[in-house]
Amino acid sequence: MSGGALYGANVFANGIRQHYLRYGGFGSAVILIPGITSPAITWGFVAERLAERYDVYVLDVRGRGLSSTGPDLDYGLNAMAADVVGFATSLELPAPALLGHSMGARIAIRAAVAAPDAFSRLALIDPPVSGPGRRVYPSKLPWYVDSIRLALKGIDAEGMRAFCPTWTDEQLKLRAEWLHTCYEPAIVTAFEDFHKDDIFPDLPKLKQPAMLMVAGRGGVIETVDEDEARSLYPALEITRVPNAGHMIPWDDFDGFFAALGDFLSR
């Protein structure tokens, strides 16, 4: 558990065990939903800063970290979104904000559409905007699968550097320690869903204030995607972190928080 967390715990929600880390414990509630191969603990450095103002719950998405995993689970977007709704309901969180990164942002959108009264606002951090007939997601599946297989055998931070060359030693150590908990079939399903499940039709259904944060060097979201998103949801706020790749807070920690501003509590 990250040294800055209040505690780690498990809750049975939506039919599975969901593990989470809680930070801060005061202020309005924020549920942080990580990306495709990011267990909750790897977002601790972000959660610690958020915890200065918010009551932060960082999830281990099913098939990752210490949450339920294995061959019998559904790893599709709808199932993961239902987990978030169930999590908020089980802990009786009063209309928490959702902050989702990459896959986690897609989960946040789908959860907010499924339960519009359950969440107050959405911070969507560089979500994949691929889908049927759309531009492919710039990352390739072997990048994930190869690193997971090495982690299952045992890999150190230096070995992980080949996959994440710009990360700090501490970040690499955490990834090397926890990546083996990412269940390969869950990762493959989520990656394939980036191209099979189009998230754009969900945008007009949103009832909550929403922010889209774009990585200036990520290659995931382009201007044409921003324009389409705003046409579908005119109230969408769009911010940009010019000097960051897709893993925005890893690349530009201060830039991430500058772009986020006071959105979560506005």
Side-chain angles (χ1 to χ4, degrees):
M1 185 176 70
S2 171
L6 295 175
Y7 58 83
N10 297 278
V11 62
F12 187 75
N14 195 38
I16 68 166
R17 182 190 69 257
Q18 297 192 46
H19 176 260
Y20 65 97
L21 299 175
R22 188 180 183 189
Y23 294 77
F26 56 89
S28 55
V30 175
I31 299 175
L32 196 161
I33 313 167
I36 188 169
T37 55
S38 296
I41 196 169
T42 64
W43 275 81
F45 73 112
V46 176
E48 289 173 4
R49 171 71 74 87
L50 289 171
E52 295 173 3
R53 300 181 61 183
Y54 308 108
D55 186 11
V56 185
Y57 299 77
V58 190
L59 298 186
D60 272 331
V61 179
R62 61 169 62 199
R64 298 148 180 91
L66 300 180
S67 289
S68 291
T69 191
D72 298 328
L73 292 185
D74 177 359
Y75 295 105
L77 181 57
N78 289 335
M80 295 187 292
D83 287 345
V84 175
V85 176
F87 177 83
T89 301
S90 294
L91 293 186
E92 298 182 345
L93 299 179
L98 298 180
L99 187 156
H101 172 250
S102 191
M103 178 194 75
R106 288 166 54 87
I107 294 171
I109 294 169
R110 189 61 54 86
V113 169
D117 296 327
F119 308 107
S120 59
R121 54 187 53 238
L122 311 177
L124 309 171
I125 315 303
D126 216 43
V129 292
S130 310
R134 296 184 179 277
R135 187 179 66 257
V136 300
Y137 186 61
S139 295
K140 306 302 180 184
L141 184 59
W143 186 88
Y144 301 100
V145 172
D146 291 351
S147 58
I148 290 170
R149 291 178 180 177
L150 288 171
L152 283 169
K153 295 178 181 178
I155 189 173
D156 61 12
E158 196 56 38
M160 195 59 68
R161 194 180 303 277
F163 297 91
C164 308
T166 64
W167 290 22
T168 67
D169 288 345
E170 183 179 0
Q171 291 162 353
L172 291 168
K173 287 175 182 177
L174 264 182
R175 188 162 180 83
E177 180 183 1
W178 284 89
L179 186 60
H180 77 279
T181 68
C182 294
Y183 182 53
E184 183 177 324
I187 307 313
V188 172
T189 296
F191 185 87
E192 291 177 344
D193 273 1
F194 289 171
H195 302 89
K196 294 178 180 178
D197 195 333
D198 191 345
I199 205 68
F200 277 97
D202 288 45
L203 297 181
K205 304 173 187 176
L206 291 175
K207 306 298 183 184
Q208 306 87 349
M211 164 193 283
L212 176 66
M213 187 185 299
V214 179
R217 296 189 289 105
V220 174
I221 299 173
E222 298 184 353
T223 301
V224 64
D225 307 311
E226 297 179 32
D227 293 342
E228 182 177 0
R230 189 179 276 118
S231 73
L232 294 169
Y233 188 56
L236 182 68
E237 296 184 34
I238 299 180
T239 62
R240 181 175 293 272
V241 186
N243 296 317
H246 181 57
M247 304 297 288
I248 296 177
W250 278 256
D251 289 345
D252 188 351
F253 184 75
D254 291 333
F256 171 81
F257 280 97
L260 186 63
D262 65 351
F263 175 78
L264 293 175
S265 57
R266 191 180 309 155

